[in-house]
Amino acid sequence: MTTTLTRPTDPPLTGAVLGRDLEPVEDLARLAARGDLPRLVEQIRRTGGCANPVNLWGSKTIRHLPTGLVLSEYSTADEPGGRLKVACGNRRATRCPTCSQTYAADTYHLIRAGLVGDQTKDVPATVRDCPRVFATLTAPSFGPVHNRPDTGCCRCGKQHPKGAPALGSPLDPERYDYAHAVLWNNWASELWRRFTIYLRRELAKASGLTRRDFDATVKLAFGKVAEYQRRGAVHFHAVIRLDGADAPGTTPPAWATVSLLDRAIRSAARAVTVPLDAAGPHPARVLRWGEQVDVRPVRAFGDGSEITEQAVASYVAKYATKAAEVTDSVDRRLHSLGALADYDLPDHTRRLIETCWELDDAYPERLLAHWSHMLGFRGHFSSKSPRYSTTLGALRQARVDYRAQQAHEELRERLLAAGLPDLDDLEHDGETLVLAHWVFAGQGHTPGESVLAATIAEQIQHNRTAAREERLSLLQDREEEQAWTAC
Ligand SMILES: [Zn+2]
Ligand SMILES: [Zn+2]
């Protein structure tokens, strides 16, 4: 059986900005005159107002096998412009504000599920009874930078206002250890990996058990996000939880307390290192965490001394949004150092990027030039241990499943209304055949579509904010109530 494809009727899609020769207003008029604006708006709404969607053309047919009857036929030929738009999923706000918000929201749910449980995602609410802390691990000093200390004056003698461009830049750029700074970013994830191993070791030691006995009794679960400090160094925020051995959320033995976890985190952070051999003209180094290790117990409701679940989730949501954005860096991969000339960057950021390129030959496996736009950092902005909570992939799949389920229900009702058999029965009996064929038809919007997408994204964001504010105020009410009961 062959599937006939209809080519898109719109101008071919060639990149993020399509139909460059058209003015947005002119293009909007063209789209309106075509008569399928409501459907176009619906399509864009389904992508959440994605700024740079993938365009597909193709078809999907469902047949009733015994009779050959076509139960449903979908072809992008009937769609506006002959295309179907699918969200790009980019996590950088400068590339796609909408999809980056979805990414941030997913990260928020992922961290939150590990704190309060999530019945639909197989994390029980009993995780609230497990010892949990919110820990922050930072990079060491690479040289003094302009800052805003609590005591008032920066070491340079000035008082910098909040958000001042000088903040985070070195007092003496010539003596700042740029090489160490980018190598540290580059190995930061490895430092974290070793930290989690040391942490288990320290916990075992503190509890007087062997590693093997400890692993059989207590499980370590964590969810973390990475963020850049103003000085361009990565640091990590993590929820770290101790579970019983059986399953996530089971209670560990009584000796596995928050204070045990706190002490173990501090000693593991002090002990862990990544030694680097000398490479060409570059000396051997030892990479380690900075002195600043912050550990705070997480409680369901705070009494002032701890951090509440809600506060952690809000922090994380904020970090996740900012996470992929490097302070004042470039928002995409640089293919040559020369390409840097196109960007207006602060000197400090420029030096960090240049240093990545300078060190690239000496550490060939580390892909420093490849990751120079990230100031050397290779990667994952959020990650978690397997048992911490749900995964980003699972959240995305849940959305896809929901839409597929909606489409399925619509078709089922349509068939029933037409006096045809129940689709569920047909599928159950293996009497349906699905034929689908999809082809990539470019990425982006036409200028008019861009305007529509921006408007839709704004509406969605507005609704989201309103819903979040309502949730927050409900939670505040609950916390206040709790405080009253405590009195
Ligand atoms: Zn997008
Ligand atoms: Zn200063």
Side-chain angles (χ1 to χ4, degrees):
M1 203 175 304
T2 55
T3 317
T4 334
L5 283 175
T6 316
R7 292 209 166 256
T9 49
D10 265 15
L13 303 175
T14 49
V17 182
L18 312 164
R20 283 164 204 273
D21 45 328
L22 285 169
E23 289 295 321
V25 177
E26 202 184 327
D27 190 38
L28 272 174
R30 177 185 69 89
L31 295 172
R34 209 169 55 186
D36 52 16
L37 208 51
R39 174 62 195 157
L40 179 63
V41 167
E42 193 197 324
Q43 252 201 39
I44 297 175
R45 197 181 295 280
R46 278 199 190 180
T47 68
C50 174
N52 191 25
V54 171
N55 293 257
L56 297 171
W57 53 281
S59 63
K60 179 176 169 184
T61 308
I62 304 177
R63 272 177 198 280
H64 183 224
L65 262 180
T67 59
L69 187 71
V70 173
L71 298 177
S72 120
E73 203 163 27
Y74 170 83
S75 165
T76 51
D78 307 323
E79 294 287 1
R83 305 186 189 102
L84 181 68
K85 290 179 182 293
V86 181
C88 75
N90 200 299
R91 65 173 182 227
R92 286 166 167 268
T94 50
R95 299 288 283 277
C96 182
T98 310
C99 293
S100 76
Q101 272 156 16
T102 308
Y103 173 80
D106 282 356
T107 308
Y108 169 80
H109 286 300
L110 181 142
I111 298 290
R112 194 169 180 280
L115 280 173
V116 303
D118 187 343
Q119 282 168 338
T120 59
K121 309 278 167 24
D122 305 322
V123 187
T126 49
V127 290
R128 296 182 109 161
D129 304 325
C130 299
R132 312 166 296 172
V133 299
F134 185 55
T136 301
L137 278 81
T138 54
S141 170
F142 309 114
V145 296
H146 293 280
N147 61 357
R148 283 164 50 84
D150 295 337
T151 49
C153 248
C154 172
R155 268 163 291 193
C156 72
K158 284 190 200 142
Q159 246 177 335
H160 300 291
K162 216 175 166 185
L167 290 172
S169 70
L171 290 169
D172 180 359
E174 292 321 308
R175 299 184 62 184
Y176 193 79
D177 196 343
Y178 280 96
H180 206 108
V182 300
L183 290 171
W184 197 92
N185 277 352
N186 192 258
W187 261 278
S189 300
E190 174 59 16
L191 205 51
W192 173 267
R193 193 185 68 82
R194 292 187 189 195
F195 164 74
T196 62
I197 297 168
Y198 275 58
L199 181 52
R200 288 186 183 92
R201 196 176 296 166
E202 291 295 328
L203 284 164
K205 201 161 77 185
S207 57
L209 296 176
T210 62
R211 263 302 299 277
R212 183 191 294 255
D213 287 345
F214 176 82
D215 286 343
T217 324
V218 176
K219 299 286 183 204
L220 186 68
F222 67 84
K224 78 173 206 297
V225 291
E227 192 200 8
Y228 288 89
Q229 293 173 313
R230 286 294 300 239
R231 59 181 171 138
V234 162
H235 65 299
F236 295 112
H237 302 280
V239 174
I240 304 177
R241 196 180 73 211
L242 294 178
D243 288 350
D246 299 334
T250 52
T251 321
W255 52 259
T257 59
V258 164
S259 73
L260 180 88
L261 184 57
D262 181 315
R263 273 178 283 134
I265 289 172
R266 290 175 200 279
S267 46
R270 265 195 308 273
V272 68
T273 58
V274 176
L276 301 188
D277 292 337
H282 308 288
R285 294 169 190 276
V286 178
L287 305 177
R288 56 176 78 243
W289 298 106
E291 303 277 295
Q292 277 186 334
V293 177
D294 186 48
V295 185
R296 287 194 274 171
V298 182
R299 296 273 193 268
F301 300 102
D303 65 3
S305 60
E306 308 103 345
I307 187 165
T308 64
E309 287 163 353
Q310 186 54 35
V312 171
S314 309
Y315 275 139
V316 167
K318 192 191 87 197
Y319 296 140
T321 328
K322 294 201 305 178
E325 305 296 325
V326 190
T327 314
D328 299 324
S329 185
V330 298
D331 68 352
R332 56 198 72 209
R333 191 152 286 154
L334 291 164
H335 295 288
S336 71
L337 192 52
L340 207 52
D342 297 341
Y343 294 90
D344 182 23
L345 297 175
D347 287 341
H348 181 56
T349 310
R350 186 174 296 275
R351 287 281 296 266
L352 287 164
I353 293 175
E354 285 169 353
T355 307
C356 286
W357 285 81
E358 282 160 25
L359 293 173
D360 192 50
D361 283 345
Y363 303 90
E365 295 94 58
R366 302 306 298 177
L367 306 173
L368 279 151
H370 183 85
W371 293 106
S372 65
H373 63 305
M374 307 304 271
L375 313 181
F377 182 55
R378 298 159 65 99
H380 295 294
F381 284 98
S382 60
S383 68
K384 56 171 209 70
S385 62
R387 63 157 54 210
Y388 179 74
S389 70
T390 184
T391 63
L392 285 177
L395 288 170
R396 279 185 210 118
Q397 193 55 47
R399 271 197 296 275
V400 172
D401 288 348
Y402 174 69
R403 283 197 199 134
Q405 185 59 29
Q406 269 182 325
H408 177 95
E409 276 312 307
E410 278 166 26
L411 174 61
R412 186 168 163 259
E413 274 168 30
R414 209 146 36 82
L415 295 177
L416 287 174
L420 288 161
D422 190 322
L423 184 62
D424 286 343
D425 294 341
L426 294 179
E427 283 184 350
H428 179 262
D429 299 336
E431 292 190 359
T432 54
L433 175 70
V434 180
L435 279 175
H437 187 69
W438 300 104
V439 177
F440 178 69
Q443 193 161 8
H445 285 303
T446 68
E449 289 170 348
S450 275
V451 176
L452 288 176
T455 314
I456 290 167
E458 208 170 290
Q459 269 173 9
I460 293 173
Q461 181 54 24
H462 177 80
N463 294 345
R464 229 183 237 168
T465 311
R468 189 165 51 226
E469 271 162 14
E470 192 172 328
R471 270 204 313 274
L472 270 176
S473 90
L474 276 175
L475 259 156
Q476 259 157 16
D477 289 353
R478 227 169 85 197
E479 282 193 33
E480 268 164 31
E481 220 171 90
Q482 195 84 6
W484 275 106
T485 332
C487 290

